[in-house]
Amino acid sequence: MFRFEDPIYLYALVLIPVLALIRWWMVIRQRKQLRRFGDIELVRQLMPDVSRFRPLVKFCLLLTALALLIVMLARPQMGTKITHEKRTGIETIIALDISNSMLAEDVAPSRLDRAKMMVENLVDHFTNDKIGLIVFAGDAFVQLPITSDFVSAKMFLSSIEPSMIETQGTDIAAAVNMATHSFTQEEGVGKAIIVITDGEDHEGGALEAAQEAKEKGMRVYVLGIGSTKGAPIPIPGTGDYMKDNTGETVMSALNEEMCKQVAEAGGGAYIHVENNSHAQEQLNTELDKLAKKEISSTIYSDYDEQFQAVGILVLLLLIAEICLLEIKNPHLKKLHLFGRKKVVTILLLLVALSVQAQSDRDYIRYGNKQYRAGKYADAEVNYRKAMEKNARNPQAYYNLGNALLAQKKDSAAIEQYQAAAKIETNARRKAWTYHNIGVICQGHQMYGEAIEAYKEALRNNPYDDETRYNLEVCKHQQKKQQQNQQNQQQQNKDQKDNKDKNKDQDKKDQDKKDEQKQDKQQQQQQKPQMSKENAEQLLNAAMQEEKNTQERIKKAQQKKQSRRLQKNW
């Protein structure tokens, strides 16, 4: 299979007819000028060494060389592994939710990135199966028709973003319906629809679509991405979050109930993706239950660059154009036929040497160019091709880790770095590998893992000052982190103790109030009371006193009274 990697450069071929017209106009003008000198035949007899066709041949050589240069810029490629295989497997359509809610970061690094990592794991697991890829939001479309070309699947996956679909929302029904009509017409083969979403269905009809797919012999599996607690949706490039009409921040949460209902209606299973490996194992167990059938596949697994051959042809055309003079060369007549055969043989050998198969180093070289150009996804594909050519090349693993790290796929990058460290024999390069692992762990505040990685890097390269500095920084940050944790624990403990003390004090105050209230009630109940005997004694004493008083008054009235007369003489 032949293709161009950058076909946009082919538009430059429009220059070829333009230049041909200019050349034709110049030839006509030249002939008109010659007629001014006299008869054309007479003029030609006066110039016997001038060739009529050599200038045209030189122009055609230059024009052909220019056309081949343009073709070389378009990077022609040829599928080198064209195989018609019969495989025993299933057909799987992956429907990936790329709505704005998938940008939420309640799972690291985001729901969409975690979903992409999950799809990569699925593609790596598929060996004898066919896969297709559908992306959906408020609408759905086929990103990759069902195929066995797993390399192309990863290439398409890297370019998926929510901006691909203008109509936002989440229409699970549209994705399931499109997946239902995207399978091949082969019968007897297991067909699975894997929906990766956060379950926020805004359009409805998902249960009916899943039920219809089940009736047609397909199974619908739902992988739930996100947290049920919810998280805000970031706006890319702004650092802000999406808000509704009232100015409140929009919170997006995983709707597990909806996901379970869709999976149940589709005869499949629901899997919550918390750990990719665990979710992968569960899904593999479910997919292994499907019927498998021998299916034929036409595979173009690798595409080799063919620009080398085109470049050789361009070089040969330019050499021929330089060697070809506009006048007749008498020395060319002395060239024997045997000498010409030698030249032709040498040229054919050069062309044959230029069209050689690419090695893993070639793929690494192409990947490095794309990496330097900022095309990290394309670089990842080339590094993976290099790994397929040579699974024991540590440079391919290391560079793949760099490409994944540039795409913020930190966990996948660590896996590749670890694989590179296992097979790397050069101590300095192994130190670089562990250094990068330490940098990733340090960025995620996993200081314990970072310290171990930096120590391993220093064991392989004790003179790396940058690694030693990072190690000390991590130790300091780890102590600070532990101190903060201890302070937080102590603070929580103090708060708990204070709370208990306050409870005890409140209880004591309440007990004291209860005691005072009880004493008051007792005092009120225990007022002093006079006994009956004391009252009678007091009453008798008062009566006796009254009686004595009356007797004294009576005796005083009975006495004779005397008068003294004072005479005023």
Side-chain angles (χ1 to χ4, degrees):
M1 183 178 179
F2 183 80
R3 72 176 187 181
F4 289 100
E5 180 67 19
D6 299 318
I8 191 172
Y9 291 106
L10 295 177
Y11 287 108
L13 290 175
V14 73
L15 294 174
I16 304 303
V18 173
L19 293 175
L21 290 174
I22 294 174
R23 171 68 180 175
W24 177 72
W25 175 76
M26 292 179 65
V27 170
I28 293 177
R29 183 182 178 186
Q30 187 180 18
R31 288 181 179 179
K32 289 181 179 180
Q33 291 176 350
L34 288 175
R35 287 192 183 96
R36 295 178 183 177
F37 291 99
D39 185 61
I40 295 295
E41 294 299 328
L42 181 60
V43 172
R44 287 175 180 171
Q45 291 177 8
L46 295 174
M47 298 182 297
D49 293 334
V50 175
S51 174
R52 297 176 57 186
F53 301 104
R54 286 173 181 261
L56 179 61
V57 173
K58 288 175 65 68
F59 176 75
C60 291
L61 289 174
L62 284 175
L63 209 60
T64 305
L66 177 61
L68 291 177
L69 278 174
I70 295 173
V71 171
M72 188 171 65
L73 287 175
R75 295 179 59 191
Q77 296 178 341
M78 183 71 72
T80 58
K81 291 184 180 179
I82 305 176
T83 57
H84 301 275
E85 298 183 357
K86 289 189 177 296
R87 300 178 170 185
T88 302
I90 62 174
E91 295 182 1
T92 304
I93 298 290
I94 300 174
L96 178 60
D97 185 358
I98 61 171
S99 59
N100 287 328
S101 61
M102 293 293 286
L103 295 175
E105 298 175 348
D106 47 357
V107 292
S110 70
R111 295 179 185 175
L112 183 58
D113 289 333
R114 177 66 68 88
K116 288 183 180 181
M117 293 168 60
M118 188 67 193
V119 175
E120 286 184 3
N121 293 341
L122 290 174
V123 174
D124 291 337
H125 174 76
F126 292 147
T127 54
N128 299 324
D129 310 303
K130 286 186 175 182
I131 62 171
L133 182 61
I134 291 176
V135 294
F136 71 95
D139 197 2
F141 67 89
V142 178
Q143 179 77 357
L144 176 68
I146 192 162
T147 180
S148 298
D149 189 357
F150 303 135
V151 176
S152 298
K154 290 186 177 181
M155 290 179 61
F156 280 108
L157 183 67
S158 62
S159 60
I160 292 177
E161 294 294 339
S163 58
M164 295 175 61
I165 299 181
E166 295 183 359
T167 306
Q168 281 299 316
T170 305
D171 193 350
I172 299 178
V176 174
N177 288 330
M178 182 165 290
T180 304
H181 298 89
S182 299
F183 289 100
T184 63
Q185 299 300 319
E186 294 189 30
E187 297 182 356
V189 59
K191 299 178 180 180
I193 301 173
I194 302 176
V195 181
I196 304 178
T197 180
D198 53 16
E200 292 190 345
D201 187 22
H202 299 146
E203 304 298 331
L207 300 180
E208 292 77 5
Q211 181 68 31
E212 183 180 355
K214 179 182 177 182
E215 294 174 355
K216 293 182 179 180
M218 305 164 191
R219 292 291 180 267
V220 180
Y221 301 91
V222 182
L223 303 183
I225 302 287
S227 170
T228 56
K229 297 179 180 179
I233 303 173
I235 302 176
T238 62
D240 198 4
Y241 296 96
M242 291 187 179
K243 295 180 172 55
D244 56 17
N245 297 332
T246 61
E248 296 293 332
T249 301
V250 178
M251 300 294 291
S252 173
L254 170 64
N255 189 349
E256 280 195 316
E257 187 63 29
M258 168 60 70
C259 294
K260 292 178 181 178
Q261 292 176 1
V262 173
E264 184 178 357
Y270 166 72
I271 300 173
H272 184 202
V273 182
E274 292 181 350
N275 180 280
N276 281 16
S277 300
H278 181 64
Q280 178 71 50
E281 293 177 0
Q282 288 183 279
L283 184 60
N284 292 341
T285 303
E286 295 293 335
L287 295 179
D288 288 340
K289 300 177 183 178
L290 299 179
K292 297 183 179 181
K293 181 184 176 183
E294 189 178 78
I295 53 180
S296 59
S297 302
T298 301
I299 303 173
Y300 302 88
S301 58
D302 287 329
Y303 289 89
D304 285 346
E305 299 283 352
Q306 304 298 325
F307 70 88
Q308 303 98 326
V310 181
I312 291 294
L313 292 176
V314 171
L315 183 61
L316 294 176
L317 290 173
L318 292 176
I319 293 174
E321 194 275 337
I322 294 172
C323 295
L324 185 63
L325 303 177
E326 291 188 359
I327 62 174
K328 297 178 181 179
N329 191 352
H331 298 287
L332 292 177
K333 297 179 180 179
K334 299 178 182 180
L335 187 62
H336 299 288
L337 181 61
F338 181 73
R340 293 179 182 178
K341 288 183 177 180
K342 275 187 175 181
V343 173
V344 172
T345 304
I346 293 173
L347 293 178
L348 290 177
L349 287 174
L350 289 174
V351 173
L353 289 174
S354 65
V355 191
Q356 58 181 351
Q358 289 178 309
S359 63
D360 55 332
R361 295 186 181 275
D362 294 328
Y363 284 122
I364 292 176
R365 192 179 302 113
Y366 301 144
N368 292 342
K369 290 181 181 179
Q370 291 168 335
Y371 183 89
R372 287 191 291 269
K375 300 179 180 179
Y376 304 118
D378 297 336
E380 176 188 351
V381 174
N382 279 291
Y383 294 143
R384 291 188 184 277
K385 288 182 179 180
M387 291 164 55
E388 291 177 0
K389 288 283 186 181
N390 183 8
R392 300 295 300 175
N393 189 338
Q395 187 178 1
Y397 289 95
Y398 178 80
N399 290 5
L400 177 58
N402 291 339
L404 293 170
L405 180 61
Q407 300 176 68
K408 298 181 179 180
K409 300 178 181 179
D410 295 344
S411 58
I414 290 179
E415 293 179 2
Q416 301 303 325
Y417 286 140
Q418 291 174 342
K422 289 179 181 179
I423 59 179
E424 181 61 73
T425 56
N426 186 286
R428 185 177 294 273
R429 292 177 181 174
K430 185 179 289 188
W432 295 346
T433 303
Y434 283 111
H435 177 87
N436 289 355
I437 295 175
V439 170
I440 296 174
C441 295
Q442 183 178 355
H444 289 279
Q445 297 183 355
M446 301 165 59
Y447 299 117
E449 293 81 354
I451 290 172
E452 294 301 324
Y454 288 138
K455 287 181 178 179
E456 191 64 32
L458 289 173
R459 292 188 187 102
N460 290 275
N461 184 13
Y463 305 103
D464 192 341
D465 294 333
E466 184 178 357
T467 302
R468 186 174 289 102
Y469 174 78
N470 289 357
L471 176 61
E472 295 302 323
V473 171
C474 283
K475 288 181 178 179
H476 176 72
Q477 293 292 338
Q478 186 184 39
K479 290 180 180 179
K480 187 175 180 181
Q481 187 182 53
Q482 292 174 351
Q483 185 177 2
N484 291 337
Q485 292 177 352
Q486 292 176 357
N487 292 338
Q488 184 66 30
Q489 293 176 356
Q490 185 63 34
Q491 185 177 1
N492 294 336
K493 184 178 180 181
D494 293 341
Q495 290 179 353
K496 185 177 180 181
D497 293 341
N498 291 335
K499 190 174 181 180
D500 294 338
K501 288 181 180 179
N502 292 335
K503 285 184 178 180
D504 295 339
Q505 186 64 33
D506 293 341
K507 186 176 180 181
K508 289 180 180 180
D509 294 342
Q510 186 64 33
D511 293 341
K512 187 175 182 180
K513 290 181 180 179
D514 293 341
E515 290 178 358
Q516 292 177 352
K517 186 176 180 180
Q518 187 175 2
D519 293 340
K520 187 176 181 181
Q521 291 177 352
Q522 290 178 356
Q523 290 176 0
Q524 290 177 353
Q525 292 176 357
Q526 294 178 358
K527 287 183 179 181
Q529 295 181 356
M530 187 179 296
S531 63
K532 185 176 180 181
E533 296 178 353
N534 293 334
E536 290 180 351
Q537 291 177 359
L538 290 174
L539 181 60
N540 293 332
M543 291 176 64
Q544 185 64 33
E545 182 69 21
E546 179 67 20
K547 185 176 179 181
N548 294 331
T549 301
Q550 292 293 333
E551 289 178 352
R552 284 196 300 269
I553 293 172
K554 186 176 180 181
K555 289 180 178 179
Q557 290 177 352
Q558 291 176 357
K559 287 182 177 180
K560 292 181 178 182
Q561 297 181 354
S562 60
R563 296 182 179 179
R564 276 187 181 181
L565 297 176
Q566 292 180 1
K567 294 180 179 181
N568 192 2
W569 304 96

